[in-house]
Amino acid sequence: MFRLPGILVLCLLISAGLAAQTPQATELPGQPFVIKKTWTIGGEGNWDYLTLDPVALQLYIAHGPVVQVVDVNAGTVAGEIGGMRDAHGIALDNNGQYGYVSDGPANAVRVFDRETLEVVASIPTGKNPRAIVFEPASRLVFVVCPATAEESTVPRRASNGQRIVTSSDPLVKSTVTVIDADTQKALADLMLPGKLGFAQTDGKGTVYVNITDRNQIAHFNAQGFKSQLRKLAKGVAPDGTKSLESKSTKPEGSSNATVTIDWSDAALDVQPIPKALQVFRLGHDCSTPKGLAIDSANLRLFTACDNMTMQVLNSTNGQVVTTLPIGAGTDAIGFDPTRGLIYASNGGGVGSLTIIRQHLTDSYAVIQELPTRARARTLAVNPVSGEVYLVTNVTGFDLTHNGGIGGLKTAPVIGSFQVLVVGN
């Protein structure tokens, strides 16, 4: 009988033991992810964020002047929320009654009844509201109004008179309008440094916001925020010991909120609510953070970066856990806590969906890069079914106009707007 040398047997046993302890982070699920269905739902205009109601199983799509509401069981449009100039983001309260839509050109949030889909209120915000998040612990709505492209490139003059433009000028400020969901009124405008991007909440009172031109994530705790803001609105300091002087003029780009809190760089140490704001600096491997998602149970943040990477951070101290590759042209990122999967929708090139498995708390690996469609850059995750929804349209040559030297121009095919349903 053939016998293995003792040293070889020992090595094999050790290797087997290590393999049993090593997380198989790169193992594929039962079958690869594919585009299972395509729902053509039509409509016109640009599109932005998607939001899923996991209870009603309805997908809200910000699509130009309307928000389309899609029944994800039937794959058809169940209704529309109209009256928008250009819808950007949708947030849903935790009692199933109201939803909130950021209407960029209108500088307002539209409040709608989720049963009738009728707009019941309009709340003024800062300029150009985009990302929006409902924070359930405080019942506050946070509306991100990023500095515009012009405001993000403030012209300067060097000593020799030469004009200098910087994309992260210390004077550039964005606004976050805070709305009380119970009264449907703006409580405050928070002035933050830089150009803000996507926002997310852990559902326990903390709100995170990307600062895209500074490679940072700002976060603040909304627990107790409401009572402090109400005190400030009455001219009383949060500790109740002294009165605060009210300003006769409000910063440009603010809403009609009573209180304005300046959290710009120069004011961090003298803010009316001390130490309420903190900033995480992202690692060198991430530039221009875009999408943002959170694993509340394991205290992890996921941010999609413009240089085809995704960073995982500790949500309590901002420490970088790991960096992973994703596709080009990313815009949104989603997390499925039930299955431990992170998705990055990449609309650049032909389009792709990067699928990342969270095997253990800090063990991550890309398990699939699924080709999707060009411009499919935003997504929503269905935690019930595990499906992922992306949207895009079809473009073709515009035969009615001659492109001249550049040839024929491309244009969206009318009625081609569609939802891609990804699953396995």
Side-chain angles (χ1 to χ4, degrees):
M1 180 183 293
F2 176 75
R3 295 176 180 271
L4 291 172
I7 186 66
L8 180 56
V9 173
L10 179 61
C11 290
L12 290 173
L13 289 173
I14 292 174
S15 299
L18 289 174
Q21 298 175 32
T22 303
Q24 300 300 305
T26 56
E27 62 180 332
L28 286 169
Q31 55 186 3
F33 285 83
V34 296
I35 299 176
K36 296 168 56 177
K37 308 168 191 173
T38 299
W39 302 329
T40 300
I41 60 174
E44 297 181 4
N46 297 322
W47 64 89
D48 212 335
Y49 295 114
L50 284 65
T51 298
L52 182 84
D53 182 342
V55 177
L57 294 178
Q58 291 181 324
L59 178 67
Y60 294 85
I61 305 171
H63 192 186
V66 303
V67 172
Q68 294 172 302
V69 185
V70 177
D71 181 334
V72 298
N73 284 326
T76 57
V77 176
E80 290 185 347
I81 306 161
M84 317 285 170
R85 290 182 60 185
D86 194 6
H88 286 296
I90 307 104
L92 306 175
D93 66 16
N94 58 352
N95 59 17
Q97 185 176 10
Y98 294 114
Y100 304 83
V101 183
S102 56
D103 190 350
N107 299 334
V109 161
R110 312 296 189 183
V111 185
F112 67 93
D113 185 298
R114 284 156 69 179
E115 183 175 351
T116 65
L117 301 184
E118 295 293 328
V119 173
V120 296
S122 292
I123 305 171
T125 66
K127 292 171 59 177
N128 188 34
R130 296 188 70 87
I132 183 170
V133 61
F134 174 84
E135 201 294 298
S138 60
R139 290 192 54 79
L140 295 176
V141 180
F142 294 83
V143 189
V144 177
C145 308
T148 63
E150 293 78 12
E151 293 168 328
S152 297
T153 53
V154 179
R156 296 287 183 180
R157 296 285 179 182
S159 57
N160 61 0
Q162 183 179 1
R163 185 174 184 269
I164 301 173
V165 175
T166 173
S167 62
S168 57
D169 193 283
L171 297 181
V172 174
K173 299 180 183 181
S174 297
T175 302
V176 177
T177 298
V178 183
I179 295 172
D180 186 340
D182 294 326
T183 63
Q184 295 185 358
K185 294 182 179 180
L187 284 179
D189 286 319
L190 313 179
M191 308 299 293
L192 271 69
K195 185 176 181 179
L196 303 183
F198 195 70
Q200 186 59 273
T201 176
D202 62 359
K204 303 174 183 177
T206 304
V207 175
Y208 300 85
V209 186
N210 281 334
I211 307 180
T212 62
D213 60 343
R214 299 187 175 208
N215 295 349
Q216 297 174 341
I217 297 178
H219 73 103
F220 44 90
N221 196 323
Q223 287 281 35
F225 211 67
K226 187 184 297 186
S227 61
Q228 291 175 318
L229 292 178
R230 284 174 173 168
K231 288 180 180 179
L232 290 171
K234 295 178 181 179
V236 179
D239 59 8
T241 59
K242 60 179 180 179
S243 298
L244 297 174
E245 294 182 2
S246 59
K247 297 181 179 180
S248 57
T249 59
K250 297 183 69 61
E252 182 181 358
S254 60
S255 71
N256 62 354
T258 306
V259 178
T260 298
I261 298 177
D262 191 346
W263 274 348
S264 63
D265 285 355
L268 286 179
D269 295 330
V270 293
Q271 53 184 296
I273 304 178
K275 299 181 180 179
L277 174 71
Q278 297 184 41
V279 175
F280 296 152
R281 297 186 181 277
L282 299 175
H284 297 295
D285 295 332
C286 174
S287 66
T288 316
K290 294 289 186 67
L292 189 64
I294 188 166
D295 174 5
S296 299
N298 294 306
L299 305 176
R300 293 295 177 262
L301 280 173
F302 312 112
T303 184
C305 313
D306 206 29
N307 59 332
M308 299 174 62
T309 62
M310 185 196 83
Q311 280 202 341
V312 183
L313 298 91
N314 185 311
S315 63
T316 60
N317 57 24
Q319 180 179 355
V320 177
V321 174
T322 189
T323 302
L324 298 115
I326 59 176
T330 187
D331 193 6
I333 193 166
F335 175 60
D336 184 345
T338 304
R339 298 160 184 82
L341 295 171
I342 306 109
Y343 303 92
S345 54
N346 318 304
V350 296
S352 69
L353 180 70
T354 306
I355 305 164
I356 298 170
R357 167 164 289 172
Q358 179 194 56
H359 192 79
L360 297 173
T361 302
D362 287 335
S363 176
Y364 301 87
V366 175
I367 62 172
Q368 190 176 347
E369 190 77 15
L370 173 68
T372 54
R373 301 279 193 276
R375 300 174 305 285
R377 63 187 187 275
T378 52
L379 62 75
V381 178
N382 187 334
V384 179
S385 66
E387 293 177 334
V388 181
Y389 309 106
L390 305 94
V391 294
T392 188
N393 62 2
V394 176
T395 60
F397 290 113
D398 185 355
L399 300 179
T400 63
H401 295 85
N402 190 330
I405 298 177
L408 294 174
K409 293 183 179 180
T410 59
V413 175
I414 297 175
S416 67
F417 187 69
Q418 56 194 239
V419 178
L420 309 178
V421 184
V422 173
N424 66 341

